[in-house]
Amino acid sequence: MKLLTKAIRESLPALYAQDGDPKAKAFVKFFDPFGPATWWASEFDGEDTFFGYADLGLGPGCAELGYFSLSELESVGRIERDIHFTPCLLSEVMS
């Protein structure tokens, strides 16, 4: 499965476009089907870098907002995109 289609690429706001916006959205969800790690992307630089929320399943208080890269997700080889994910407020996935 392709992690990032052309349509998703075009729908993601540029980096910093939602900075400070309480209504910032998560547009795409990636996950490890064999583990607890999940990433929600809310912005993209158009090449490789996402900004969003990452929960690697390391326990309470370890999930964080930050940057992660498409190339890193692809290098794992088993990360998938949730094809059933509907864009939602970033605050909803963080709760």
Side-chain angles (χ1 to χ4, degrees):
M1 166 192 295
K2 191 169 186 171
L3 289 182
L4 198 59
T5 65
K6 182 178 179 180
I8 295 171
R9 240 178 228 274
E10 292 172 355
S11 73
L12 282 162
L15 287 182
Y16 313 110
Q18 300 186 91
D19 190 20
D21 184 349
K23 294 184 180 181
K25 284 188 164 187
F27 289 90
V28 62
K29 176 184 172 185
F30 304 105
F31 67 99
D32 179 349
F34 301 104
T38 308
W39 300 261
W40 292 267
S42 61
E43 299 172 351
F44 186 56
D45 73 351
E47 294 182 29
D48 189 54
T49 304
F50 293 104
F51 181 80
Y53 187 65
D55 184 350
L56 303 181
L58 301 174
C62 291
E64 64 184 10
L65 285 169
Y67 298 91
F68 54 96
S69 74
L70 178 60
S71 58
E72 287 179 318
L73 294 177
E74 290 174 334
S75 74
V76 174
R78 66 179 192 222
I79 303 303
E80 296 183 13
R81 176 176 35 87
D82 184 344
I83 61 172
H84 301 290
F85 179 73
T86 300
C88 65
L89 293 177
L90 194 53
S91 59
E92 291 177 26
V93 300
M94 295 173 59
S95 56

